[in-house]
Amino acid sequence: TTSIDRLLAGLLNRSISAERWRGGRAVAAALSLIECCKLVEVEPFAYLKDAPERINAHHVDRSAELPPCNWVPKVSATAAAA
């Protein structure tokens, strides 16, 4: 595993309840998302930061835009001006 995988596993295990199976499932889900991002050449940190912020405001008809394979990062105001 990479160092980010170990760091993420440590953070998730501490923030999830004492039930080990639940922590293991959370880690497995997070690592699956990270590996999926890597497969489609999406920056995992950017995706994991942006996608949860979009979920509440996203219309259900556009939910196909959220998986890493279809995700397009938001263009920041500074990048758009350049």
Side-chain angles (χ1 to χ4, degrees):
T1 61
T2 65
S3 59
I4 193 166
D5 295 342
R6 287 191 302 271
L7 175 65
L8 184 61
L11 292 174
L12 287 175
N13 279 335
R14 275 181 267 171
S15 65
I16 301 295
S17 71
E19 300 172 32
R20 286 186 163 256
W21 65 271
R22 232 176 113 196
R25 283 181 154 185
V27 169
L31 293 178
S32 293
L33 276 173
I34 289 171
E35 291 303 316
C36 186
C37 287
K38 289 177 184 178
L39 283 173
V40 295
E41 298 178 354
V42 168
E43 171 58 41
F45 180 76
Y47 175 79
L48 291 172
K49 183 177 182 305
D50 182 56
E53 294 172 355
R54 289 188 189 188
I55 287 175
N56 289 335
H58 228 66
H59 195 271
V60 70
D61 294 339
R62 295 176 40 218
S63 61
E65 298 171 2
L66 292 175
C69 58
N70 298 329
W71 178 77
V72 177
K74 292 181 193 174
V75 177
S76 66
T78 55

